[in-house]
Amino acid sequence: MPPPRKFRPREPAVLVSQTAGCFWWREEVRRKHGSTPWIPKIFWVFFHVLFIVLLFQFDNDMTDGGAGYQTGFAFACLLNLYAFLCVANSNPGYVSEQERCPEDQEDVYREQDRIRRERIAARVKAKRERERHAAEAEDVAEDDEGGDDAELPDLESGGGDRTTDRTTSPRGEDEGTGGLLGAPGGASNSSDLATSSSFVGADNDEPPVGQYCKHCKAWQGLRTKHCHDCGRCVRRFDHHCFWVGTCVGEKNHARFVWYLVAQTALIVWAFHVSNSGWKYADTFHELFEINAGPVCMSIALFIFALFVGSLLGFHVYLIVTNQTTWEVSSRDKISYLAGVPHNVYAFSRGPMRDAREFCCSPPPPRYTLRSFEWMREWSRTETIWENKYYVCC
């Protein structure tokens, strides 16, 4: 049996200065060399030109609609191109490189991170104890035929083991979670150093507020994650998009959604134009010969519309619940969401307010969570979607 491979820390990414974005969002940023390849953008342009040219090869609304119809479709294509350029290579909200961990303070913050890990482990253990005691209390109440009140354990204190148990986190450093607030690779969001220091040793039920990234040593607060493709930490990280050549974060998420709107509308219009080219025939053989091209185009455009439309719908759901793709897909791995009930959206302030802040408000200097007591209380609230009689979704 070969010996286990030794863990080798990843070399820090070599950052280069690049021009990010275009138009009035143009700015200079530093990120990993080669993180914004041109090949996906060339393919994007190629596929759009290919389908537009093919639409003119058949008799349909594009060729029969006249100059006005063609001008409207051309305007939609230019609008889609404009939306794509606004988000391509843009700055997603990189954490400032000035917010780095001083070399003489690394040991201090590493110890603080260890203490925060232990407090999270104790909180998870207390939650499990409360659930176990609640289940035992229900069993005792069902078995008590005399109707005498059973002596229930103290659910709030978790059986007295909440502060004494100091176990290691189930997502410890051996698993390479990248620190307190993140999934593998590190995670977090921008905040003050004083806030992090004041949290250590505090006797409250507030979540941790940040850490230093082990890859780039940038300050991470809630909702921030290190992107290995860009070599930088991104605030309110959503995902790294291969086609636009950058991450989607707090500074370009709204532009990305508007690009999805423009792209979906253009594909649906092209799908309608392709369907208008279908011709009627008396025999199946003639029907196939006449409509082979338009049918193949309609099938391809339907697949594209289904994919991009589903992605748009998913991001609309993220907007009205104030979540990110990373938080939804890795909810169980993100430590600041540990203990948050699954029917509670940790950062949501209501659908209307979330949508208004997403579209019209600048990003906040830092992200905050409500107290866990409030979340636990809210999780018991009955709604039309979830109550004691049924759970819809």
Side-chain angles (χ1 to χ4, degrees):
M1 182 176 180
R5 298 176 59 183
K6 294 184 179 180
F7 172 75
R8 295 182 179 179
R10 184 176 300 190
E11 294 293 333
V14 178
L15 305 180
V16 296
S17 297
Q18 298 178 350
T19 300
C22 61
F23 306 111
W24 49 82
W25 289 294
R26 195 178 186 88
E27 57 183 316
E28 292 291 329
V29 299
R30 280 169 47 83
R31 53 190 164 196
K32 185 177 177 180
H33 178 69
S35 61
T36 58
W38 282 98
I39 294 180
K41 303 176 183 61
I42 294 175
F43 272 102
W44 185 91
V45 174
F46 170 76
F47 281 122
H48 282 72
V49 173
L50 174 64
F51 277 95
I52 293 174
V53 171
L54 290 177
L55 287 177
F56 280 92
Q57 303 304 312
F58 308 101
D59 293 333
N60 49 42
D61 288 350
M62 183 68 68
T63 56
D64 300 337
Y69 194 93
Q70 297 173 4
T71 302
F73 190 83
F75 178 77
C77 294
L78 292 177
L79 184 63
N80 183 42
L81 178 62
Y82 172 78
F84 178 78
L85 293 177
C86 287
V87 69
N89 296 350
S90 58
N91 180 9
Y94 295 125
V95 176
S96 174
E97 291 188 87
Q98 299 180 357
E99 300 182 22
R100 289 182 175 270
C101 177
E103 295 183 0
D104 57 346
Q105 296 292 324
E106 287 190 19
D107 294 337
V108 175
Y109 289 110
R110 189 176 295 110
E111 178 65 17
Q112 292 178 351
D113 182 71
R114 183 188 65 80
I115 295 174
R116 290 193 292 263
R117 285 175 179 272
E118 292 181 351
R119 297 189 72 248
I120 288 180
R123 181 181 298 150
V124 173
K125 177 66 178 295
K127 177 185 176 182
R128 292 175 179 174
E129 287 293 325
R130 289 194 299 270
E131 293 176 351
R132 183 175 63 84
H133 287 310
E136 292 177 355
E138 292 179 359
D139 294 339
V140 171
E142 292 176 358
D143 296 339
D144 188 5
E145 298 178 355
D148 296 333
D149 293 336
E151 184 178 352
L152 303 180
D154 185 4
L155 302 182
E156 291 298 323
S157 61
D161 295 332
R162 183 171 184 174
T163 57
T164 57
D165 184 77
R166 309 289 283 185
T167 59
T168 57
S169 172
R171 296 182 297 276
E173 294 188 10
D174 292 339
E175 299 182 36
T177 56
L180 172 68
L181 296 180
S188 29
N189 108 335
S190 211
S191 185
D192 291 333
L193 303 182
T195 308
S196 175
S197 302
S198 63
F199 174 81
V200 177
D203 188 14
N204 53 41
D205 197 25
E206 293 299 322
V209 294
Q211 67 176 10
Y212 278 105
C213 176
K214 68 177 183 180
H215 299 284
C216 62
K217 297 183 180 180
W219 174 251
Q220 296 179 329
L222 299 178
R223 317 193 78 180
T224 303
K225 184 183 182 298
H226 183 85
C227 176
H228 294 292
D229 294 309
C230 294
R232 295 287 300 275
C233 286
V234 180
R235 284 171 48 89
R236 201 178 181 276
F237 177 85
D238 188 87
H239 71 285
H240 185 91
C241 183
F242 172 77
W243 292 103
V244 301
T246 186
C247 289
V248 176
E250 69 172 14
K251 293 186 68 175
N252 64 354
H253 197 172
R255 279 176 273 163
F256 180 77
V257 173
W258 284 115
Y259 160 66
L260 292 180
V261 172
Q263 185 72 71
T264 303
L266 181 63
I267 295 177
V268 171
W269 193 351
F271 178 70
H272 165 73
V273 172
S274 179
N275 290 341
S276 67
W278 294 18
K279 305 298 182 181
Y280 176 77
D282 295 331
T283 64
F284 179 80
H285 180 71
E286 294 177 352
L287 184 68
F288 180 79
E289 284 186 349
I290 298 174
N291 298 318
V295 168
C296 292
M297 280 198 61
S298 296
I299 294 175
L301 290 171
F302 175 78
I303 294 175
F304 287 133
L306 187 64
F307 173 76
V308 180
S310 300
L311 186 61
L312 173 61
F314 176 69
H315 277 272
V316 171
Y317 161 74
L318 296 179
I319 292 172
V320 298
T321 57
N322 202 348
Q323 298 184 95
T324 64
T325 302
W326 172 59
E327 290 173 344
V328 171
S329 62
S330 304
R331 183 184 181 103
D332 296 333
K333 300 178 182 179
I334 302 175
S335 56
Y336 64 78
L337 295 179
V340 177
H342 285 277
N343 62 338
V344 174
Y345 305 117
F347 299 95
S348 178
R349 296 297 186 269
M352 297 301 297
R353 180 175 175 182
D354 291 339
R356 183 175 65 253
E357 292 180 352
F358 179 86
C359 298
C360 307
S361 301
R366 68 175 64 118
Y367 296 95
T368 58
L369 281 172
R370 296 178 185 267
S371 68
F372 282 98
E373 290 296 334
W374 182 92
M375 293 184 190
R376 285 192 288 267
E377 189 66 27
W378 175 258
S379 67
R380 304 188 190 102
T381 304
E382 295 187 0
T383 64
I384 189 175
W385 311 111
E386 183 174 356
N387 50 60
K388 62 182 180 181
Y389 300 105
Y390 63 88
V391 176
C392 179
C393 53

